Amino acid sequence: MSESNLLFDVKDLAVRYPNGEYALHHVNFSVESPSFMAIIGPNGSGKSTLLKAALGLIQPTRGFIKMMGYDSVRDSHKIQRMVRYVPQRDQIGLNIPMKVKDIALMGRLLKKSPPRFASSKDKRIAKEALKQVDMLELWERPFPELSGGQRQRVLVARALAGKGSILILDEPLAGTDAESQRLIVDALEEYHQNNDVSIIMVTHDLNPIHKMVRSVLLLKRTVIGIGAPCSIMDVELLTKVYGPTARIVEYAGHRYCVTHDSGIDRHE
Ligand SMILES: Nc1ncnc2c1ncn2[C@@H]1O[C@H](COP(=O)(O)OP(=O)(O)OP(=O)(O)O)[C@@H](O)[C@H]1O
Ligand SMILES: [Mg+2]
């Protein structure tokens, strides 16, 4: 029951959906806390399923997944209090007429007990977070009117403004241009450096973040690799997952992955 220093402790985890499909099987890994961690893998490799299992939103069919020693099934309330979660873009409802400020403040209010009122401190922190991703000017704008990339930035700000020692972001860079990516990545890095928090981020492109993440989990329904970014940026591992066109290039002393997912070889 007690807190451990393992951000993740996963043993023999399998998750099967009601249609009988195993999204994950024989998943075993652990990651020390605090960490800035990336989860990569192609579409359908079980990345979102792993996060949902960790949060207790889906039950394991076998094995267990623990965060900070808390079991996803037994301690799901504790986990949900500890975690700020930004779901994948297609799972965010746009029919609620909330303004940018309401979304950012939600990060502050969600973990309060009712009645939930925003204090001046809540507003200051929400504004600071929006400023970090250059969205403060849109404070009064209805959220559904924003572009996809602007929405991603507001959702990242909501996570930054929130409470809880773990941030989980499912593809925060999806559909964003280079400028939005830079703002999001820089804001997350700065936040990780200045606060005692772990950040877990699903991404299709390791390149914008490989210099700052401490560990990378490469997933394809099971663990294909886990370790420091340079150990995962390995042709043998990447071709197992992304096929024979995956490559590593070295430029200015850094390694970059070239996979269909990273988009670099888009024009091949
Ligand atoms: N609610 C569901 N019911 C049935 N099968 C599902 C459900 N959600 C996901 N799956 C299946 O589980 C597998 C893993 O899906 P998941 O969403 O975890 O992949 P992912 O790695 O996050 O992919 P993406 O990069 O496209 O977001 C897929 O084959 C998917 O079809
Ligand atoms: Mg997903």
Side-chain angles (χ1 to χ4, degrees), residues 17-19 21-23 41-50 52 88 170-171 202 204 221:
Y17 281 107
N19 61 4
E21 180 174 343
Y22 273 93
N43 290 141
S45 55
K47 305 179 296 297
S48 298
T49 301
L50 182 75
K52 287 178 195 164
Q88 200 165 346
D170 197 343
E171 297 199 34
V202 171
H204 277 277
R221 302 199 177 234

Side-chain angles (χ1 to χ4, degrees), residues 170-182:
D170 197 343
E171 297 199 34
L173 306 181
T176 54
D177 64 9
E179 173 64 1
S180 287
Q181 283 194 8
R182 188 189 59 75

Side-chain angles (χ1 to χ4, degrees), residues 126-143:
K127 283 183 175 176
E128 274 167 18
L130 284 168
K131 196 170 168 200
Q132 271 199 290
V133 290
D134 203 17
M135 280 288 113
L136 184 54
E137 280 172 24
L138 304 186
W139 178 253
E140 291 285 349
R141 280 276 285 278
F143 183 71

Side-chain angles (χ1 to χ4, degrees), residues 16-202:
R16 189 177 55 194
Y17 281 107
N19 61 4
E21 180 174 343
Y22 273 93
L24 295 169
H25 64 87
H26 300 105
V27 176
N28 289 286
F29 71 95
S30 59
V31 175
E32 301 238 324
S33 167
S35 186
F36 193 152
M37 178 185 177
I39 301 176
I40 62 169
N43 290 141
S45 55
K47 305 179 296 297
S48 298
T49 301
L50 182 75
L51 298 183
K52 287 178 195 164
L55 289 165
L57 304 174
I58 305 177
Q59 301 254 325
T61 313
R62 268 181 72 158
F64 65 78
I65 177 162
K66 292 181 183 175
M67 294 185 85
M68 305 306 298
Y70 293 118
D71 182 84
S72 69
V73 178
R74 203 181 45 207
D75 310 314
S76 64
H77 287 292
K78 280 200 188 92
I79 292 172
Q80 283 170 23
R81 237 176 288 143
M82 195 166 63
V83 168
R84 319 173 205 176
Y85 172 47
V86 180
Q88 200 165 346
R89 192 172 170 174
D90 57 10
Q91 294 182 11
I92 292 160
L94 288 175
N95 39 11
I96 311 158
M98 291 179 105
K99 292 186 172 180
V100 165
K101 63 178 177 186
D102 303 318
I103 299 281
L105 281 167
M106 244 164 84
R108 304 289 311 159
L109 300 183
L110 274 180
K111 290 189 172 103
K112 286 188 178 180
S113 23
R116 300 185 171 104
F117 295 112
S119 65
S120 51
K121 183 183 171 194
D122 292 329
K123 285 183 190 151
R124 180 174 51 77
I125 292 174
K127 283 183 175 176
E128 274 167 18
L130 284 168
K131 196 170 168 200
Q132 271 199 290
V133 290
D134 203 17
M135 280 288 113
L136 184 54
E137 280 172 24
L138 304 186
W139 178 253
E140 291 285 349
R141 280 276 285 278
F143 183 71
E145 286 179 16
L146 303 187
S147 75
Q150 288 173 332
R151 273 187 232 133
Q152 291 292 91
R153 277 147 68 179
V154 172
L155 292 170
V156 169
R158 180 182 73 180
L160 294 178
K163 291 180 185 171
S165 58
I166 301 171
L167 272 79
I168 295 185
L169 305 107
D170 197 343
E171 297 199 34
L173 306 181
T176 54
D177 64 9
E179 173 64 1
S180 287
Q181 283 194 8
R182 188 189 59 75
L183 283 162
I184 291 172
V185 165
D186 287 357
L188 290 174
E189 185 179 28
E190 194 185 322
Y191 194 77
H192 179 63
Q193 277 172 358
N194 296 332
N195 296 276
D196 188 22
V197 294
S198 284
I199 299 182
I200 301 150
M201 171 171 166
V202 171

